Amino acid sequence: MFDYRLKVFHTVASRLSFTKASEELHISQPAVTKHIKEIETQVGAKLFDRKGTSIQLTQSGKILYEHAEKIRNIYRDMEFEISQINQQHKGKLIIGASTTVAQYILPEILAKFNTYYKDIKIELLTGNTEAISTLLKEEKIDLGIIEGESQSSYFEYTTFRPDEIVLAAKSDHPLAHKTLHLKDLYNLDLIFREQGSGTLEFIQNRLKDKEINLNELNTIIQLGSSESIKNYLLHSECMAFLSISTILNELKNNILTVIDIKNFSIERDFHFILPKGEQSELIKLFLRFAE
């Protein structure tokens, strides 16, 4: 519920580091910078000063941080009080999530949810975006969380959280630390997710916007998970477009690296996908918590 841009600012201000904030929030440093610039434009003041390799809050930044901390604490206390009231909730919730969300984002949320609502049993089914949509249509899950871009008239879609897809390679790749141009993609060996993957759909659409035909790229292999792709990258000269959420540990440990493409980025949102109509109290409770 905490305003996302304010959350980005609060994280940067707390850590005094754009790098640490990007790792904690599971977004790239350029995305962090973009959110900070938007807030600076909105408040009409500079919020950080750079001192060599470090940053410090300006006087305006200190004022905003003080109020952001108060707002964050109000939300936290409100959510806790509500959770205390709702501890008597009982039942079972079946959630379907696309692979990236299920492996890298949901586990922490589900663990925290279980500490508040021990009498609610959660079952998590995993598949690509197409599979999750089918499960929901067949009423085999209560709600889904997907990464795809296509939307069906059968469902309602609401934003869950932002994400960014980046071009990744092993850290000692010959092109590591180089800036590429979009046309260079035609000269690379690439790995993509399988057909039906929401990530693949999103990449294909963004490349198409730039008049790059994915079918004309040199696709070495298509694999069914980000883990498979990451392990393949470590043993080859290939590159792959991956969600930043899936490679945070590899970036931190200098196992993989992000390859910059000039004037090109792929930002997206993960979405809740729900059957149309009134939702159950359990679904509403989980949605409020996950936000």
Side-chain angles (χ1 to χ4, degrees), residues 19 34 43 52 56 59 66 68 80 90 98-99 103 139 155 162 172 188 215 236-237 240 244-245 258 262 269 276:
T19 300
K34 177 183 175 183
V43 302
Q56 295 180 352
Q59 189 60 37
E66 180 180 342
F80 177 77
K90 295 182 179 181
S98 54
T99 312
Q103 286 186 313
E139 300 182 353
F155 310 122
D172 60 350
L188 302 177
N215 294 325
S236 76
E237 300 297 324
I244 193 75
S245 304
V258 172
K262 188 174 182 180
D269 291 319
K276 287 191 172 180

Side-chain angles (χ1 to χ4, degrees), residues 86-256:
N86 290 331
Q87 276 187 344
Q88 298 305 312
H89 276 295
K90 295 182 179 181
K92 182 177 181 180
L93 195 59
I94 304 177
I95 301 171
S98 54
T99 312
T100 300
V101 177
Q103 286 186 313
Y104 302 98
I105 297 174
L106 267 187
E108 180 181 355
I109 294 173
L110 295 179
K112 291 180 178 179
F113 184 84
N114 183 250
T115 62
Y116 284 117
Y117 307 105
K118 297 183 183 298
D119 293 327
I120 299 176
K121 304 303 179 185
I122 300 287
E123 182 179 344
L124 176 62
L125 303 181
T126 304
N128 61 34
T129 294
E130 184 178 303
I132 296 304
S133 299
T134 299
L135 287 173
L136 187 64
K137 188 175 180 180
E138 295 175 351
E139 300 182 353
K140 294 180 179 178
I141 58 175
D142 298 306
L143 75 153
I145 307 176
I146 62 170
E147 55 203 60
E149 192 167 30
S150 296
Q151 297 195 355
S152 166
S153 59
Y154 286 104
F155 310 122
E156 293 180 356
Y157 298 81
T158 57
T159 300
F160 172 37
R161 65 168 58 184
D163 182 47
E164 184 177 8
I165 298 172
V166 296
L167 185 63
K170 62 182 180 180
S171 58
D172 60 350
H173 193 283
L175 295 178
H177 312 301
K178 303 287 186 181
T179 297
L180 305 182
H181 294 80
L182 271 172
K183 63 181 181 181
D184 294 328
L185 291 176
Y186 288 106
N187 301 318
L188 302 177
D189 292 336
L190 297 167
I191 309 171
F192 290 102
R193 285 285 303 276
E194 80 288 357
Q195 292 298 322
S197 161
T199 296
L200 176 64
E201 177 192 29
F202 211 93
I203 294 166
Q204 187 171 19
N205 289 343
R206 293 293 80 77
L207 290 175
K208 185 178 179 181
D209 291 342
K210 295 293 185 177
E211 299 182 348
I212 301 292
N213 188 340
L214 186 143
N215 294 325
E216 295 177 0
L217 300 180
N218 188 27
T219 302
I220 300 300
I221 191 172
Q222 289 183 268
L223 297 172
S225 72
S226 297
E227 287 298 312
S228 298
I229 292 175
K230 288 191 295 182
N231 287 322
Y232 195 109
L233 291 180
L234 297 179
H235 302 285
S236 76
E237 300 297 324
C238 294
M239 295 185 184
F241 285 100
L242 291 167
S243 163
I244 193 75
S245 304
T246 69
I247 59 172
L248 291 175
N249 286 333
E250 287 78 11
L251 294 176
K252 183 178 181 180
N253 294 312
N254 197 33
I255 297 171
L256 295 177

